[in-house]
Amino acid sequence: MITQKQVEDAMYRIYRDAVIELPEDVTLALKMAYENEDNETARLNLGTVLKNIEAAHENGIPMCQDTGLPIVFVKLGDVQVENLYQGIMKGVEMATHEVPLRPNVVDPLTRENTGTNTGKGIPQVDVELVDGDYLELTVFPKGFGSENNNALKMGLPGEGVEGIKNFVLEIVQSAGGKPCPPTRIGVGIGGSSDMALKLAKKALLRSVKDKNPDERLSNLEDELLEAVNATGIGPMGLGGKTTALDVKVEMVDTHTAGLPIGICIQCWAARHKSIVLRDE
């Protein structure tokens, strides 16, 4: 059996690592954006971001003061796990106190802070049943400077691909510099309203350089990225070539009467970390 203590320790480690160490693919994309930029203000902003990433690594401290809402994606295979949710919760609490993380979780009405980054329904945990004898935990610390710019549209079937493109551009232009670009953008298409938004968020777990195996979606990702960067919003919204590092699209089937479109925007600090546990 995978014990609660194993889950706690694993959750603590990946949360700590996620807020301190940016994934290599994101760091490389930011460096490439810096090298390709000829706007002095944009280069200054990108250079500052890169120095920030280096300082977090060297000093072992979070790269951003907003250490996020704890969102956890779980892949659960054919294994026995002791008190999975409790283990995740305790691991988040441990990380909050020891990293430390900023306590972000509050009652939405009274605004009273729990002080532990846990609370009613938080950590937010998504469980996917998979084949195999393992448990995979992925933490996705979501800052709300970017989360506040997410959007959902219950489009009509006739809007088609052009409707999807138009909605993405509308939301990106409305967000401007608020989500601390250059961003990563996840787009979820299909399913129901909640599923479209979940797909958009899960799309951001893919590598920057990952190509969608569905050629239609791969082409759409390229077209959207080109269109987003053509807006000229640029790093921190002050102009430049790179408004987004990438756009990732995920799609499932939907009802004949609808075209749900979810958009999840992630700031430059596109943090996530995974770990695999086995029943040994």
Side-chain angles (χ1 to χ4, degrees):
M1 176 181 289
I2 297 172
T3 67
Q4 178 178 329
K5 183 66 164 59
Q6 287 176 291
V7 174
E8 289 177 18
D9 291 344
M11 194 66 226
Y12 163 72
R13 290 198 305 273
I14 60 174
Y15 212 143
R16 176 197 63 200
D17 292 350
V19 298
I20 295 172
E21 302 283 352
L22 197 63
E24 184 178 4
D25 62 300
V26 181
T27 302
L28 289 174
L30 287 165
K31 288 179 178 178
M32 185 177 297
Y34 176 81
E35 291 168 1
N36 292 336
E37 185 58 70
D38 49 25
N39 178 302
E40 289 187 13
T41 301
R43 281 180 64 85
L44 176 63
N45 281 316
L46 288 166
T48 302
V49 165
L50 292 168
K51 288 177 183 177
N52 187 88
I53 294 167
E54 185 178 351
H57 169 75
E58 290 179 352
N59 295 290
I61 57 176
M63 67 187 79
C64 178
Q65 48 84 24
D66 185 351
T67 50
L69 185 77
I71 297 171
V72 183
F73 293 101
V74 176
K75 290 184 179 179
L76 179 61
D78 187 18
V79 290
Q80 290 188 322
V81 186
E82 178 188 33
N83 300 331
L84 175 59
Y85 190 77
Q86 285 297 319
I88 291 172
M89 181 178 290
K90 294 295 184 183
V92 169
E93 291 176 353
M94 192 188 314
T96 299
H97 296 310
E98 296 188 18
V99 173
L101 308 175
R102 189 180 75 180
N104 288 325
V105 175
V106 302
D107 180 297
L109 301 184
T110 67
R111 313 310 294 182
E112 182 178 355
N113 197 305
T114 67
T116 61
N117 278 317
T118 61
K120 186 176 182 179
I122 303 296
Q124 180 180 322
V125 178
D126 176 80
V127 179
E128 177 184 353
L129 301 179
V130 297
D131 294 329
D133 57 347
Y134 69 95
L135 169 70
E136 181 179 280
L137 303 172
T138 299
V139 65
F140 186 90
K142 194 64 167 70
F144 264 54
S146 57
E147 184 75 2
N148 284 337
N149 293 279
N150 291 353
L152 169 71
K153 179 177 183 178
M154 299 304 290
L156 299 175
E159 294 181 60
V161 174
E162 287 305 310
I164 295 168
K165 292 178 184 178
N166 291 338
F167 182 53
V168 172
L169 282 177
E170 175 190 335
I171 297 307
V172 168
Q173 290 171 323
S174 174
K178 290 182 286 186
C180 293
T183 60
R184 299 190 69 202
I185 301 172
V187 180
I189 304 169
S192 56
S193 56
D194 55 326
M195 193 171 194
L197 282 169
K198 184 185 292 186
L199 284 171
K201 190 156 286 176
K202 293 181 79 170
L204 296 175
L205 300 179
R206 291 167 51 196
S207 168
V208 171
K209 293 298 183 183
D210 179 51
K211 288 291 186 182
N212 199 306
D214 186 326
E215 186 176 359
R216 299 170 301 165
L217 301 186
S218 180
N219 290 339
L220 180 57
E221 290 171 349
D222 292 341
E223 291 169 13
L224 285 170
L225 180 61
E226 182 178 356
V228 166
N229 285 334
T231 64
I233 292 168
M236 302 301 153
L238 297 175
K241 292 181 178 179
T242 309
T243 299
L245 299 174
D246 68 330
V247 178
K248 294 289 182 273
V249 179
E250 294 295 323
M251 184 179 76
V252 295
D253 290 345
T254 190
H255 191 280
T256 184
L259 178 62
I261 311 163
I263 299 175
C264 182
I265 297 181
Q266 174 63 295
C267 63
W268 66 261
R271 305 161 292 185
H272 59 86
K273 185 74 174 180
S274 301
I275 192 170
V276 173
L277 302 178
R278 298 186 184 277
D279 184 1
E280 298 176 348

